[in-house]
Amino acid sequence: MIKKIDHIAIAVQNLEVSLETFLNVLGCDPKSVTIEEVPSENVRVAFIPVGESKIELLEPMNSEGAIAKFLLKNGDGLHHIALATDDIVKESERLKTVNITPLSEPKEGAGGKKILFLHPKETNRVLLEFAEKGH
């Protein structure tokens, strides 16, 4: 079952500059931000808490990977919306019953979460991510 919007992800060229901008806009305490690298996705991420959700800033670690390609094609901007679930495997199976095929099997993402993405061609041109809290 989908519980809430987990985060809204924004692809950025420069994490530090973008983080400063978003902290100023949101009026958030810099100490509330978590930053980590996700080598499997070739990104460095910053999570800014906003109520029950977060804004995730995604900076490519190199010229490889989906975020680097996204930035080359589109520039900075909205990348995806992540939906929190308590059972990602069950959701993956449920999606298949309604003819929506995830891009991959669930895998580990930032914060130790299990994640999977749905192709934007199947979701009105919006990249959706399902995220299950890590154990």
Side-chain angles (χ1 to χ4, degrees):
M1 170 185 271
I2 302 302
K3 300 292 187 179
K4 66 177 183 173
I5 293 175
D6 185 77
H7 63 271
I8 297 172
I10 300 167
V12 301
Q13 299 280 348
N14 185 305
L15 190 64
E16 285 75 22
V17 170
S18 298
L19 181 57
E20 182 177 351
T21 298
F22 276 89
L23 288 173
N24 287 334
V25 168
L26 299 169
C28 293
D29 181 353
K31 295 176 189 169
S32 68
V33 174
T34 58
I35 298 175
E36 69 178 281
E37 291 185 357
V38 184
S40 64
E41 299 297 317
N42 293 312
V43 293
R44 198 164 68 114
V45 300
F47 284 104
I48 307 166
V50 181
E52 291 186 2
S53 299
K54 297 177 185 82
I55 291 181
E56 176 186 37
L57 303 178
L58 302 158
E59 175 191 63
M61 292 169 47
N62 55 44
S63 61
E64 302 297 315
I67 298 304
K69 292 174 186 167
F70 176 90
L71 287 166
L72 278 175
K73 182 178 177 184
N74 304 297
D76 288 22
L78 180 65
H79 185 261
H80 69 268
I81 299 171
L83 306 170
T85 180
D86 53 2
D87 191 337
I88 202 164
V89 173
K90 187 175 181 179
E91 285 301 316
S92 178
E93 293 303 316
R94 182 188 63 78
L95 287 166
K96 292 173 189 172
T97 69
V98 293
N99 298 318
I100 297 175
T101 305
L103 287 172
S104 67
E105 292 300 314
K107 60 184 176 179
E108 187 171 335
K113 292 182 180 180
K114 291 182 190 172
I115 62 168
L116 68 82
F117 286 92
L118 307 181
H119 199 290
K121 288 182 182 176
E122 294 187 359
T123 54
N124 295 81
R125 296 181 10 176
V126 177
L127 181 62
L128 293 177
E129 174 187 21
F130 281 24
E132 178 184 332
K133 189 175 183 177
H135 300 286

